[in-house]
Amino acid sequence: MKTPPSGGGATEAPSGRGIAGTPSGGGIAETPSGGGDAKRPSTAGPGRRPGRPPSLTRAAIAEAALAEGVATFSMPGVAARLGVGHSTLYRYVDNREALVRLAVELVAERTVWPSAGPAWRALLTGFVDALWGACEAFPGLDEAILTTPGTPRVMVDLLTGYGGALVGAGLTPRDAAVAVDFVADLVFSSSVAMRGLDRRLPDAAGGSSTARERYRRAWARESAGRHPFEAECTAEETWHGRGWFDDKLDIFLDGLATRIAPGPSRAPDRAASPGPSTEENA
């Protein structure tokens, strides 16, 4: 299931901040949520041989939810894809939100993430490439991650390692945590925004146009001598692919570099900085 992310790296599927919750101890359990044997007796019907159906696993259910669309699947749709009754799913997951978390967890476990190393900029760039590639592989994953609370154990362990590498590169623990959180949020919000440009909206004439077309028309002008700023807002590459994402990331990383560079200009860690003294407030 490996899917190359746009802009580099390789991923089998995704995640980052907010990447949904996992069962205790990590990993996708193969038994029903209520325990017991996953197999159940079956009655023979037309065209069906008597005997037990293939055993169902939480991993298989998560796969079916991803195939249906992680942000839009329905429990009946997942059950139909698996060839089981709707009520059977609830032996493995408590509700739809739990299945969303299970699907996100599966994607997180299958993603090929960059290893934590001393090159902090390459680390963060590889991390966002893997996240973006996962969002492309599973449309709606970005939205699911932003709206479903919880973080898979695999992501907690991964991001802890990244934080340690960033601290080793010279960031404070607070700056390292904010940096990882920021770039993940930037991926998800940008991915949602770029995907949303494809949606079609009705117009007054009875037709429709994409959100992308409407935005570009709003910025386009017929007059000569258009300001270069406006030209950037109407450029073709602005509204396709990753849009301005990489430019936004570069601006952030350039700023982060100033906090890593030694010298008196380095900003202090606000979380560790004492407040103003009584004398200063007098």
Side-chain angles (χ1 to χ4, degrees):
M1 288 182 61
K2 291 188 178 179
T3 306
S6 173
T11 148
E12 291 178 311
S15 195
R17 177 208 181 192
I19 267 190
T22 92
S24 175
I28 296 181
E30 296 300 317
T31 58
S33 58
D37 191 347
K39 299 179 180 180
R40 56 187 173 83
S42 170
T43 56
R48 183 176 182 180
R49 295 181 180 178
R52 289 183 170 187
S55 67
L56 194 60
T57 66
R58 284 162 59 85
I61 295 172
E63 290 273 17
L66 289 173
E68 287 286 302
V70 66
T72 58
F73 74 82
S74 67
M75 297 296 275
V78 172
R81 178 176 286 271
L82 292 168
V84 299
H86 179 198
S87 61
T88 301
L89 297 183
Y90 293 99
R91 297 177 58 196
Y92 298 83
V93 293
D94 292 334
N95 49 43
R96 186 184 184 280
E97 183 176 289
L99 183 49
V100 171
R101 289 196 297 268
L102 195 66
V104 172
E105 178 190 353
L106 180 63
V107 166
E109 289 179 347
R110 292 181 173 181
T111 300
V112 178
W113 303 103
S115 58
W120 66 269
R121 190 165 187 137
L123 170 62
L124 290 177
T125 301
F127 175 51
V128 301
D129 283 343
L131 285 179
W132 193 285
C135 291
E136 285 189 329
F138 299 98
L141 179 73
D142 41 24
E143 181 182 344
I145 289 171
L146 288 172
T147 58
T148 307
T151 306
R153 184 75 247 172
V154 63
M155 294 309 303
V156 172
D157 294 341
L158 178 79
L159 298 181
T160 298
Y162 287 177
L166 293 174
V167 170
L171 286 176
T172 65
R174 174 67 171 267
D175 283 352
V178 171
V180 172
D181 179 76
F182 181 90
V183 297
D185 278 352
L186 183 61
V187 169
F188 299 136
S189 60
S190 298
S191 176
V192 167
M194 295 306 293
R195 186 163 45 86
L197 293 176
D198 290 325
R199 73 184 188 278
R200 300 199 69 84
L201 305 168
D203 55 35
S208 66
S209 58
T210 64
R212 177 184 295 105
E213 291 166 338
R214 292 198 179 189
Y215 278 122
R216 294 187 67 181
R217 282 202 302 268
W219 281 97
R221 292 184 179 178
E222 298 298 331
S223 58
R226 185 172 59 196
H227 192 280
F229 177 88
E230 296 178 29
E232 290 293 338
C233 293
T234 56
E236 186 72 19
E237 62 270 19
T238 299
W239 302 98
H240 296 276
R242 287 167 46 148
W244 283 340
F245 171 79
D246 292 299
D247 300 276
K248 293 175 182 178
L249 179 64
D250 283 341
I251 289 172
F252 171 73
L253 295 180
D254 288 346
L256 193 61
T258 67
R259 300 178 77 88
I260 291 177
S265 61
R266 190 189 183 287
D269 184 1
R270 286 187 297 277
S273 299
S277 66
T278 304
E279 290 79 5
E280 290 173 332
N281 288 330

